[in-house]
Amino acid sequence: MNEATQSRLRPLADSSTSTVVAGFIAMLTGYTSSLVLMFQAGQAAGLSSGQISSWIWALSIGMAICSIGLSLRYRAPVMVAWSTPGAALLISSLPGVPYGEAIGAYILASGLIVLIGLTGSFDRIMRRIPASIAAALLAGVLFRIGLEICAAAEQQTLLVVAMLLAYLLGKRLLPRYAVLAALLVGCLLSALFGLLDFSDFELQLAVPEWTTPEFSLAAAISIGIPLFVVAMASQNLPGMAVLRANGYEVPASPLLTSTGLASILLAPFGSHGIHLAAISAAICAGPEAHEDPRRRYTAAVWCGLFYGIAGIFGATLAALFAALPKALILSIAALALFASIIGGLTQAMSEPQERDAALITFLVTASGMTLFSVGSAFWGIVAGLLTLLILNWRKG
């Protein structure tokens, strides 16, 4: 992809309907998958509605700026998202901790990520991971999302089957617009079936609220260090793997440094950290976004624009997404990832000598297991590399 950076940047000319749709679906998937976790954590910690709204605003603005800026800089679909595992972690660790000390812990976690970025150590780690292992990691991360379409079919069979048929017909007739066709059919049927509920929707602007950071050893141990670990293992590692698996050789160090600095600046407004995305990145980096890999960066740019709009109206974001049926969200996310799952599995099994390691990486990652508060993406890489080491040592 390096030659693309030498040509003139034309994001509007490079955009297409498919990139806009991919960007919107990536935004939709990111928010609906874990927005509720922040409301849970905030309410459990006794935060005001204004503080929770500011939290969402800070994350959204940071994701918008970083996704747009980094994608334009590297002419690649660099997607940035909040830490979903981090939000889940805060449900149990944020209550009982003074909010100012929690903000200080956020800054500590982001500062460690900046340090990793500046030293270049993450780049060296990524270069040592074989392409087949990275592809298996990508497939494993996305596989669980793809399976959700089956759960959605149990809830709304007719809706999901109609969306799947629309997708398949789209693939047959107009491949670039297959996902858009499924989304339009899903929205139309949802309206006809009375599944759209906008009764709680009210348009309000989010207002940022400053909280002065405080630093304590207890908050650093209970929040800061765990946030750093889960961000690196569950966000940045698979996020870089998605880019590499799709052929984008973007240096990791400036990405980590940029997202880390943005997280530090936005922490006083509630941001617990923004990092490289994996699932939403796969939507923008895969062939469904655009047939030309050199133009897929515009999908991430559009997603960034949608992030910004969502952040400005963060006070009512949850009500908006709650109006859409869950089956529609699950199905459209799964359909948008089909091509990326196929590509990941194909590349993972392309090297006969590495198939055992790739399979184990895929299985462990797809299992969703958690050990020592670290997610399956990290353990999938560990298991795959260990398998590769054992098999190579035996042959040697």
Side-chain angles (χ1 to χ4, degrees):
M1 303 295 167
N2 293 335
E3 70 274 5
T5 60
Q6 305 302 321
S7 60
R8 188 163 59 91
L9 195 65
R10 303 182 307 162
L12 288 179
D14 287 342
S15 295
S16 66
T17 303
S18 59
T19 59
V20 176
V21 171
F24 179 75
I25 293 175
M27 181 276 295
L28 196 67
T29 302
Y31 278 97
T32 53
S33 64
S34 60
L35 187 65
V36 66
L37 296 178
M38 283 179 288
F39 279 91
Q40 284 182 260
Q43 291 170 353
L47 302 185
S48 67
S49 59
Q51 287 173 320
I52 297 175
S53 173
S54 178
W55 186 356
I56 297 171
W57 173 88
L59 290 169
S60 302
I61 295 303
M63 295 187 307
I65 293 172
C66 290
S67 293
I68 295 172
L70 293 173
S71 296
L72 293 176
R73 167 66 179 84
Y74 293 103
R75 197 71 63 89
V78 180
M79 285 293 300
V80 176
W82 62 58
S83 173
T84 299
L89 175 74
L90 292 175
I91 294 177
S92 59
S93 60
L94 192 57
V97 176
Y99 194 45
E101 294 183 11
I103 297 296
Y106 298 168
I107 293 175
L108 170 64
S110 300
L112 292 174
I113 291 175
V114 172
L115 183 62
I116 293 292
L118 292 175
T119 59
S121 56
F122 196 65
D123 267 318
R124 292 191 291 272
I125 293 173
M126 288 303 301
R127 282 195 294 268
R128 292 181 178 272
I129 298 177
S132 60
I133 301 296
L137 174 69
L138 167 64
V141 169
L142 304 183
F143 183 72
R144 296 179 64 205
I145 305 299
L147 279 180
E148 292 293 339
I149 195 171
C150 300
E154 293 181 349
Q155 303 169 14
Q156 296 289 341
T157 304
L158 185 57
L159 173 66
V160 175
V161 170
M163 291 177 66
L164 178 59
L165 289 175
Y167 172 81
L168 295 176
L169 288 173
K171 289 287 287 185
R172 175 74 181 270
L173 303 174
L174 295 169
R176 288 177 58 185
Y177 304 105
V179 176
L180 175 60
L183 179 61
L184 292 177
V185 169
C187 290
L188 178 61
L189 289 180
S190 296
L192 291 176
F193 296 160
L195 299 176
L196 301 179
D197 181 12
F198 292 100
S199 58
D200 294 329
F201 179 75
E202 183 181 355
L203 198 62
Q204 292 181 340
L205 295 176
V207 179
E209 289 191 11
W210 173 276
T211 299
T212 302
E214 301 175 17
F215 297 92
S216 72
L217 181 60
I221 294 174
S222 63
I223 296 178
I225 302 301
L227 273 182
F228 165 72
V229 172
V230 298
M232 293 303 297
S234 302
Q235 299 274 153
N236 292 324
L237 181 60
M240 282 306 303
V242 168
L243 286 172
R244 298 289 166 83
N246 284 283
Y248 297 97
E249 296 297 327
V250 182
S253 293
L255 304 188
L256 295 185
T257 303
S258 299
T259 55
L261 288 174
S263 297
I264 291 174
L265 293 174
L266 291 167
F269 299 102
S271 169
H272 68 283
I274 55 174
H275 315 286
L276 299 181
I279 295 171
S280 54
I283 295 174
C284 293
E288 296 288 357
H290 202 286
E291 57 188 6
D292 185 354
R294 295 172 299 178
R295 297 174 64 180
R296 293 174 192 165
Y297 75 94
T298 59
V301 172
W302 280 105
C303 183
L305 292 173
F306 292 130
Y307 278 155
I309 295 171
I312 292 172
F313 298 99
T316 55
L317 194 58
L320 175 61
F321 288 130
L324 302 174
K326 185 179 180 181
L328 185 151
I329 301 298
L330 294 175
S331 299
I332 200 64
L335 293 173
L337 292 171
F338 273 11
S340 295
I341 296 172
I342 293 170
L345 288 173
T346 301
Q347 186 177 358
M349 298 300 161
S350 61
E351 293 292 334
Q353 300 86 353
E354 299 175 358
R355 283 176 182 167
D356 290 289
L359 177 62
I360 290 177
T361 300
F362 170 76
L363 292 175
V364 174
T365 305
S367 71
M369 63 179 287
T370 299
L371 290 177
F372 309 111
S373 299
V374 177
S376 61
F378 174 78
W379 296 116
I381 285 285
V382 170
L385 293 177
L386 183 60
T387 302
L388 204 58
L389 178 65
I390 293 173
L391 294 180
N392 285 346
W393 170 78
R394 185 180 62 185
K395 290 180 179 179

